[in-house]
Amino acid sequence: MSIFVSAIGFGIASGAVIALASLGFTLQFGLSNTLNIGYGGFITLAAFTGYGLIQLGLGPWPTMAAVAVITGLLSVLYYQFFIRRLILRSVGLGPIAIATAAALIFIDYAIVAVAGTDVKSYGLTSGRTFHLWDFVLSSTQVAIIVLALALMLAFQLLLRLTQLGRALRATAVNKTLARSCGIRAERVTSLAWLISGLLCGTAGVALAMTTQAFDFNLGSTFLILIIAAAVVGGIGEPYGAVAGGFLIGITTELSAAYWSPAYSDVVAFLLLIVILLIRPTGILGGQARRRHVAT
Amino acid sequence: MSSDKGADRPAGPALQCDRVVAGYGDAPVVREVSLTAAPGRVLCVVGPNGAGKSTLLRALLGLVRVRQGTVTLGGKDVTNKPLEELARSGIGYVPQGEDVFDTLRVTENLDMGGFILSRAERQARMDAVLDIFPALRRLTRRYAGTLSGGERKMVALARVLMSDPDVLLLDEPTAGLAAELTRMVLEEQVRLLAGLGKAVLLVEQKAEAALSVADDAAVLVNGQIALTGTGAEVLANEDVGEIFLGGAGRGKGWMQSMWAGSAGSAGTDGTVHSTGIA
Ligand SMILES: Nc1ncnc2c1ncn2[C@@H]1O[C@H](COP(=O)(O)OP(=O)(O)O)[C@@H](O)[C@H]1O
Ligand SMILES: [Mg+2]
């Protein structure tokens, strides 16, 4: 029983990070109809930028905030000068995904060129541990869970309660109709890439904080879980990404506890395939609707 | 149809297009089309499926590139201006399909319609619009994607009215609606819009129902205006009857031959008018 419960605890901790990252990933798909494989590169970039700032003596939480902002801005540039150009030239969904895979490789090796291939660690002391029933979590993990939940809640409130958030949802579901309402869809889309970059940067640093050591493969490996979570939840669905993130986090930690940590990615993808077979639109992708890329 | 319903309101701007040529590939879909949608009037463009009606509207809205000719709003050149800027200048658009935000609630759809308004204006406008469509009051919390065809169309019309546009472009607002609803949408809602002083450009395939509510009318065949006149005149025209109103295709009129692809010369027919049409 205690193995089970502690695995659930770890699952919630890693699920929170996957959910954050997956939310950013799914937002890019929702607004730009783009399966951005390059997202993995942004995770790695965030982790390494965080490493650099910590080396310079910045504390972990200020580092996370700074990296979130930097990654957000880079994400907007990436959209403006890369993704948007491809969309304007009517490049299809598949070719764009492949172009973003090229971007992932480019970002990873740019990081290698600067920081080398050796393993890095933030070297944070694990601090106090929290015992809650059979849950055993470090204070860092608890803080990350709380932060992730707060960010996801804030994002939901933005989407639901503000005119800007509604415009974001409107643009995601029908860009032409949104424009016919006077919504400057291009700005709204840039805003979505900014938010997704903020989430990605936060997730990248959170991932590095809770990983013993990492190298330039950090993001591309983690991307597998991000994509699995987004697709399991119903790609383009914010709630789905969050639900999928926790589901993938808990399932992979359970399989690690009872089987082997080596098979986490396999388990994540098995879950993905099973869920797609049962429910082709993902858990929360019930409305299965056409997306508009029309510009 | 009476044309003085909006006479007590100051007239808004007219939307005018002059010899507009537009299309997707090499061959233009819309060829040298000139029309005027005047304030307080319903201008109805009818034409068979594929004639280029939707393309014409999309060209006026900056969604399909205008290659030749001009589009003016109240005399100002707005050719190829982006859709969001046209919306901010007072042009409202209800597209043929996908005319509501499925994943937004009805109130949120209306909020988006009033996106360019201030919060206070939006609230006041929403009350006014719900007074025009009282049936929507009990649906405000529903997601638009869960509504019936008729309800969706009401949401779409209510949404476009939120910003109180001067000009309305409606692309087959009755597509997919039953006969009774079609009559309701055209005779009550579309007429009401003109009654509010707006310039309404209505595109329809259901020629008889649409022409009977139109002040001005034009027939689009193969991307060209084949005939213009008042709604009643076009409705009474034999050739139009042949093509749209259940004719068996044995007619030999010039429109018939144009529809078949061999363009004839329009303008010899006695019913051709220039009233309200540039
Ligand atoms: N997005 C598009 N790309 C290429 N051709 C199109 C497109 N939309 C419409 N067409 C073509 O343009 C012509 C006119 O279509 P449309 O304007 O939709 O006609 P209508 O609305 O009168 O039925 C048709 O031949 C159609 O095949
Ligand atoms: Mg059409």
Side-chain angles (χ1 to χ4, degrees):
Chain A
M1 187 60 190
S2 95
I3 292 181
F4 180 78
V5 174
S6 75
I8 299 266
F10 288 134
I12 292 172
S14 71
V17 180
I18 300 172
L20 261 192
S22 183
L23 187 56
F25 180 81
T26 223
L27 187 59
Q28 296 178 347
F29 184 87
L31 265 292
S32 300
N33 218 17
T34 300
L35 211 59
N36 177 21
I37 306 297
Y39 199 77
F42 278 83
I43 292 277
T44 317
L45 189 60
F48 275 80
T49 309
Y51 176 78
L53 292 178
I54 282 175
Q55 292 302 301
L56 291 175
L58 203 61
W61 301 108
T63 293
M64 184 183 272
V67 170
V69 172
I70 293 168
T71 314
L73 295 177
L74 289 176
S75 174
V76 172
L77 295 178
Y78 179 83
Y79 168 68
Q80 281 293 333
F81 294 103
F82 181 46
I83 302 295
R84 195 173 70 92
R85 304 296 164 101
L86 296 177
I87 293 172
L88 285 177
R89 280 167 181 68
S90 305
V91 178
L93 185 73
I96 290 183
I98 290 167
T100 66
L104 166 65
I105 294 168
F106 181 82
I107 295 170
D108 279 358
Y109 282 92
I111 290 169
V112 168
V114 174
T117 54
D118 49 328
V119 166
K120 305 276 191 281
S121 171
Y122 280 13
L124 304 176
T125 50
S126 56
R128 235 154 42 89
T129 52
F130 285 79
H131 294 257
L132 223 122
W133 193 22
D134 282 334
F135 289 161
V136 185
L137 294 171
S138 72
S139 56
T140 306
Q141 282 174 317
V142 172
I144 286 174
I145 294 172
V146 171
L147 178 72
L149 291 175
L151 282 177
M152 291 184 285
L153 180 68
F155 182 60
Q156 284 307 325
L157 293 179
L158 172 81
L159 286 185
R160 297 275 147 191
L161 299 184
T162 70
Q163 189 70 351
L164 191 61
R166 285 190 278 265
L168 228 141
R169 287 159 59 210
T171 306
V173 66
N174 192 335
K175 195 173 210 164
T176 304
L177 198 61
R179 294 179 61 205
S180 83
C181 295
I183 295 170
R184 294 186 165 125
E186 205 44 63
R187 287 191 203 170
V188 169
T189 307
S190 289
L191 175 77
W193 282 78
L194 176 70
I195 294 171
S196 72
L198 291 173
L199 294 169
C200 178
T202 308
V205 172
L207 180 65
M209 281 167 78
T210 50
T211 306
Q212 300 286 334
F214 61 89
D215 65 5
F216 70 99
N217 284 314
L218 179 76
S220 31
T221 312
F222 193 57
L223 183 68
I224 294 171
L225 300 180
I226 295 174
I227 294 179
V231 175
V232 159
I235 184 87
E237 288 294 328
Y239 289 119
V242 172
F246 282 104
L247 188 64
I248 294 287
I250 289 169
T251 313
T252 53
E253 290 296 340
L254 281 175
S255 81
Y258 286 100
W259 189 15
S260 157
Y263 297 122
S264 289
D265 295 347
V266 177
V267 170
F269 267 99
L270 277 179
L271 185 68
L272 170 73
I273 290 165
V274 169
I275 286 189
L276 287 185
L277 286 175
I278 299 170
R279 205 176 152 78
T281 55
I283 309 174
L284 293 181
Q287 302 99 318
R289 56 196 182 240
R290 273 194 288 151
R291 305 237 159 228
H292 295 244
V293 219
T295 44
Chain B
M1 275 293 147
S2 69
S3 52
D4 54 0
K5 286 190 174 170
D8 51 338
R9 256 179 67 133
L15 180 71
Q16 217 161 354
C17 64
D18 185 26
R19 281 165 290 156
V20 159
V21 177
Y24 308 91
D26 289 336
V29 171
V30 169
R31 296 179 285 162
E32 305 253 336
V33 169
S34 302
L35 292 168
T36 300
R41 298 178 73 84
V42 175
L43 164 62
C44 178
V45 175
V46 294
N49 204 6
K53 303 182 296 297
S54 296
T55 306
L56 171 62
L57 290 194
R58 293 170 60 81
L60 300 179
L61 289 161
L63 289 168
V64 170
R65 214 182 145 64
V66 174
R67 295 185 212 160
Q68 283 173 45
T70 53
V71 183
T72 56
L73 177 65
K76 248 185 69 203
D77 188 355
V78 295
T79 316
N80 289 325
K81 262 182 94 174
L83 176 58
E84 50 270 49
E85 304 312 322
L86 292 172
R88 285 166 185 256
S89 322
I91 298 183
Y93 173 44
V94 178
Q96 189 168 350
E98 315 244 356
D99 50 2
V100 295
F101 298 108
D102 281 351
T103 54
L104 269 63
R105 296 179 194 279
V106 169
T107 40
E108 293 178 321
N109 267 273
L110 301 187
D111 279 332
M112 290 300 98
F115 186 79
I116 59 178
L117 307 177
S118 72
R119 181 193 282 259
E121 287 171 330
R122 199 156 56 230
Q123 204 47 56
R125 216 30 224 163
M126 190 168 313
D127 285 337
V129 164
L130 288 174
D131 282 342
I132 301 176
F133 300 96
L136 285 182
R137 283 200 187 274
R138 61 184 174 79
L139 301 172
T140 50
R141 301 288 300 159
R142 291 268 295 274
Y143 284 97
T146 68
L147 301 176
S148 72
E151 290 166 343
R152 283 172 69 99
K153 197 49 73 178
M154 252 193 288
V155 173
L157 289 171
R159 189 208 69 241
V160 80
L161 285 183
M162 279 294 293
S163 63
D164 201 11
D166 297 320
V167 177
L168 279 160
L169 306 190
L170 310 177
D171 196 346
E172 300 202 27
T174 69
L177 297 188
E180 196 175 319
L181 267 174
T182 295
R183 196 151 24 77
M184 201 270 282
V185 166
L186 292 175
E187 287 175 12
E188 294 178 26
Q189 295 171 355
V190 172
R191 278 311 321 171
L192 172 118
L193 300 179
L196 295 170
K198 303 181 185 312
V200 181
L201 173 43
L202 168 71
V203 151
E204 268 294 348
Q205 213 182 312
K206 295 176 181 168
E208 185 167 23
L211 289 172
S212 64
V213 302
D215 298 303
D216 309 311
V219 179
L220 192 70
V221 180
N222 265 334
Q224 286 181 299
I225 300 288
L227 175 69
T228 61
T230 65
E233 284 164 351
V234 173
L235 192 56
N237 185 287
E238 281 176 20
D239 291 308
V240 177
E242 279 297 324
I243 291 177
F244 297 101
L245 311 180
R250 15 162 209 96
K252 319 168 215 56
W254 53 267
M255 273 202 38
Q256 197 83 24
S257 52
M258 269 191 75
W259 192 21
S262 51
S265 59
T268 50
D269 195 298
T271 63
V272 173
H273 269 241
S274 56
T275 324
I277 299 194

